[in-house]
Amino acid sequence: MTGSTIPDAPAATAPVDVEALSDWMDAQGLPGGTVTLSPLSGGTQNIMLIVDRGGRRYVLRRGPRHLRPGSNAAMAREMRLLSALGGTDVAHPRFVAGTTDTDVLGATFYLMEPVDGFNAADALPAGYAATAAGRAAMGFALIDALAGLAAVDHRAIGLEDFGKPEGFLERQVPRWLAEYERYAANPTYPGGTFADLDRVAGWLDEHRPADFRPGLLHGDYHVANVLYDHHTPKVAAIVDWEMATIGDPLLDLGVLLAIWPDDPRRPDLYESALGRAGDLPGRDAIVERYAERSDRDLSALDWYTVMAAFKLGIILEGTYARACDGKAPREVGDRLHRYAVGLFDRARQIIAGA
C-alpha cells in the first residue's frame, strides 16, 4: 500500500525497535511470531513500513524521522478516523491497532491492513489502464469514491467533534495566509512566487459561499492519495488522511478541479501517470458525475476550485521554502514549486473568467 501528497517523493526512514514492537503486538492480542520489517515506498513526510508476523502482514504508519510539533497528534487523528470508517462503505485501509504511547517506538503509530491496489500517480500496471475506456472509468471512480465519502454522516460514526465546522469557510483564507507568512519570513526563501496573493485572497473573501452543509473532508484528495483495484477500475482505498476534518466536503471536489487537466490529452497539474496517459473525463463530466451522486449545492464550484488552488499552492510552496533552507531535497522543492505556480495560474484564470 502506498499513498503520497505528491508522487515520487521518498519518505525518510526511521529505526524501529523490533522487540518493543513485538511486545506491543503481543499486548494487542495479534498473532505471534518473529517480526520482519521491510520498507514501503510512497509519502513525502510520514513513514510506512511493512510488518510481517505470524503469517499476517500489516502496514505500520508513523510520523517522520524528525517529528514535527503536530506529527503525533496527526497520527492519533488518523487512527480515530480509520477506526470510525470501519462501519461505512468508504474505501479505506482497515485499522488494526495503534497507540499514542510514544515510549513504544518514540512516536504515535498504528497498524492497518495492506490494500491490494496501486497508485496511479506513479504507474499504471492494471490491464484496464491501457485502454482509453479504462482510464476514463478510473477518472469517474475517483469521483464516485469522493461522493461516497461526502455522503457519510459523521455524527453517526462518532466523529461529531472531529472538527470545527462553525466558521470553517471563513477561517480558510486567514489560515493559509498565516502559513505562507510563517515560512516566507525565512531569509533563505526568495519569495516572489505569488505576486497576486492578496488579490486572490480578496476575491475569495468577497465571493465566499454564505453557508454549507458540514461533512467529512479528506483535505488532500487527488489521484496520488487513492489506490486503485488491480482488476477493475474502482478505488480500492483512499489513503493519507492526515488533513481530514469536519468541514465543507466540496473543498475536496475543488482540489480535483484545481489539478484536473483542461484537455483530456494533457496531464493534470501534478503530472501523474494517469494524467500523462490521457483520456480522463472532462471537467464538466466529472462535475456532472458528482452531481448525480450528491445532493450538495454545486453553484459555487469556482470558489471552491480557487480556494483549493490557493491552499494547495501555499502548502506546496512550503516544501520549496524548506528546500531553500536545506531542510528538504532541492529537487522535490523545485518540483512542488512548479506545481504551486501552476495552481495559482489556474486560480487567476478562474477569477478572470468569473
Side-chain angles (χ1 to χ4, degrees):
M1 177 193 138
T2 181
S4 59
T5 302
I6 299 298
D8 302 321
T13 58
V16 170
D17 185 330
V18 174
E19 184 177 354
L21 176 60
S22 183
D23 290 344
W24 177 82
M25 293 177 72
D26 288 341
Q28 308 310 306
L30 297 174
T34 301
V35 170
T36 303
L37 302 179
S38 53
L40 183 61
S41 62
T44 58
Q45 303 295 340
N46 296 309
I47 293 164
M48 292 191 292
L49 299 169
I50 296 174
V51 179
D52 284 290
R53 193 176 90 143
R56 188 173 173 186
R57 175 166 286 190
Y58 314 88
V59 172
L60 184 152
R61 182 165 162 88
R62 54 149 284 171
R65 181 185 184 94
H66 302 291
L67 293 173
R68 296 180 181 180
S71 293
N72 286 330
M75 288 297 109
R77 282 176 60 82
E78 282 191 38
M79 284 195 288
R80 181 184 174 192
L81 176 61
L82 292 179
S83 180
L85 288 176
T88 73
D89 293 330
V90 173
H92 68 283
R94 298 292 169 175
F95 177 77
V96 176
T99 182
T100 58
D101 182 0
T102 59
D103 288 339
V104 180
L105 295 183
T108 294
F109 71 93
Y110 64 89
L111 300 178
M112 52 187 165
E113 293 182 0
V115 176
D116 183 18
F118 67 93
N119 190 323
D122 298 331
L124 300 175
Y128 61 77
T131 70
R135 292 191 293 273
M138 292 173 72
F140 285 126
L142 198 61
I143 295 298
D144 294 346
L146 180 59
L149 173 63
V152 170
D153 182 347
H154 59 281
R155 297 179 182 86
I157 61 172
L159 295 178
E160 61 278 356
D161 61 343
F162 193 70
K164 298 178 180 179
E166 299 82 5
F168 175 80
L169 295 183
E170 289 83 354
R171 291 195 300 271
Q172 294 306 301
V173 169
R175 174 187 177 183
W176 297 111
L177 281 177
E179 180 72 5
Y180 178 76
E181 290 168 0
R182 182 181 64 81
Y183 59 73
N186 190 320
T188 63
Y189 173 62
T193 301
F194 310 130
D196 54 355
L197 183 71
D198 291 337
R199 185 171 73 88
V200 176
W203 185 92
L204 286 166
D205 278 336
E206 184 179 348
H207 294 84
R208 184 174 57 245
D211 198 12
F212 70 96
R213 188 167 84 243
L216 193 53
L217 176 78
H218 179 274
D220 193 22
Y221 189 84
H222 51 80
V223 69
N225 281 341
V226 305
L227 301 178
Y228 280 93
D229 184 91
H230 282 288
H231 308 291
T232 59
K234 67 178 183 180
V235 171
I238 304 169
V239 297
D240 281 9
W241 293 88
E242 62 191 278
M243 296 183 71
T245 190
I246 305 303
D248 190 338
L250 288 182
L251 193 52
D252 278 337
L253 181 57
V255 169
L256 278 186
L257 291 172
I259 65 173
W260 205 259
D262 292 313
D263 185 313
R265 297 165 296 183
R266 296 175 58 190
D268 55 75
L269 288 184
Y270 282 178
E271 303 170 323
S272 70
L274 179 58
R276 289 193 299 270
D279 300 305
L280 288 173
R283 296 158 69 85
D284 290 344
I286 66 168
V287 171
E288 181 179 354
R289 180 76 162 222
Y290 191 95
E292 291 172 354
R293 284 157 172 73
S294 173
D295 61 355
R296 292 184 180 273
D297 180 4
L298 304 184
S299 61
L301 275 184
D302 278 351
W303 187 89
Y304 289 100
T305 307
V306 173
M307 184 68 246
F310 180 84
K311 166 188 169 181
L312 290 176
I314 289 174
I315 290 173
L316 300 184
E317 189 73 355
T319 300
Y320 174 64
R322 289 193 295 276
C324 292
D325 201 27
K327 297 177 180 177
R330 187 57 190 245
E331 64 274 14
V332 174
D334 288 344
R335 179 160 50 84
L336 302 196
H337 173 69
R338 184 172 72 252
Y339 297 162
V341 171
L343 285 162
F344 265 75
D345 285 346
R346 178 152 288 175
R348 282 191 290 269
Q349 292 167 8
I350 294 171
I351 290 173

